[in-house]
Amino acid sequence: MTIAAGRRAVIAAAIATPMAPRIARAAWPERAVRIVVAFPPGSSTDVVARALAQKLAEGIGQAVVVENRGGAGGNLGAQAVKAATDGHTLLMHSTAISVNPTLYRNAGYTLDDFSAVAVVATAPNAFFVHPSVPATTLAELLTWMRANPGAAYAHSGTGTTPHLGAELLFRTLAGVQATPVAFGPAQAATAVVGNQAPIGSTSLPPALPLIREGRVRGIAVAGARRDPTLPDVPTVAEQGFPGFEASTWFGLFAPARTPTEGVQRLLAEVPRAMAAPDLVARLAALSLTDPGLHGDAAAAYARAEAARWAEVVRSSGATAE
């Protein structure tokens, strides 16, 4: 063999060698997939994650395990997934994933640490009261709050849109003094049932059954239009605050280092899972709808939400450690 031919053989071998593992590599996922939920069991984020996990498992042919890692407004779960290196760990978070990097002095992550897979569901926020509060409309509630300055309202957690939306409505737009009290999303609704706080502000799903049962009184929904699950409860915009809208959305994210083939598989399988008729019906019963945002569109939405709520954080003076 000539020297030139030998060099060509070495170059060919060098090119071919790295390709061998790629050809032999098993298709993603190679094992069970874990979805870390950034909030406690029973939260809307948890409900969405568990509903999706079942359908996603059918599509990818591997088990999908849901693990709750609540704390610090969702930061602990985000930090845990950011640090994951197994390529099979995902994050289910709420709008707070966009808010917390501004709200907290050190959230422990930025949106750049994740690849957005999808915004899988969204729900309007809701304002409701304990039956002892003599108010059936938003105007009546604000009148009562002015007569009871500093009245507590239970919300889903510091930096969530139920918290920031209430601050925007009560303090900035209506000019009433209120005391925010942070609970978990589901716990905030039950806190109003127990009159630990006379007013509640959460996403609609945890409050919906309590409003229907008469255990709390629905005052307003914060969607762009009335919610079909509560057609008799008017929007905030209808009740004197045009353009007011505050919702909670839930997104699936992967660590930025997740293999490309994993992200691409998820971009194909998650929309299929979310389109399953029984899943659509199950979420609709909870006032949850799929906005159909995937990949780049989901990432752009998360960044737009970060910019939007950062303004509210600054104007309200909200902060968290």
Side-chain angles (χ1 to χ4, degrees), residues 130-218:
H130 185 268
S132 64
V133 176
T136 59
T137 67
L138 183 55
E140 291 174 353
L141 174 59
L142 295 174
T143 297
W144 181 85
M145 292 175 73
R146 291 187 180 97
N148 296 270
Y153 72 87
H155 62 78
S156 303
T158 302
T160 60
T161 57
H163 170 219
L164 297 178
E167 288 293 292
L168 176 62
L169 176 61
F170 295 150
R171 293 181 186 272
T172 304
L173 299 179
V176 297
Q177 298 300 311
T179 302
V181 183
F183 292 84
Q187 292 79 5
T190 56
V192 179
V193 173
N195 208 16
Q196 294 173 262
I199 306 165
S201 176
T202 70
S203 63
L204 184 52
L208 181 60
L210 303 178
I211 295 173
R212 285 174 164 169
E213 293 164 9
R215 300 174 70 188
V216 299
R217 184 182 307 118

Side-chain angles (χ1 to χ4, degrees), residues 232-300:
D232 295 331
V233 178
T235 66
V236 173
E238 286 180 88
Q239 298 186 73
F241 298 90
F244 185 93
E245 187 175 350
S247 62
T248 300
W249 53 265
F250 309 96
L252 186 67
F253 297 83
R257 63 174 62 88
T258 302
T260 301
E261 57 266 34
V263 175
Q264 291 302 314
R265 183 76 187 277
L266 288 166
L267 289 174
E269 295 295 344
V270 169
R272 289 195 191 104
M274 293 302 301
D278 56 335
L279 180 53
V280 171
R282 179 180 176 185
L283 295 182
L286 297 171
S287 294
L288 290 161
T289 56
D290 178 5
L293 298 172
H294 312 110
D296 290 344

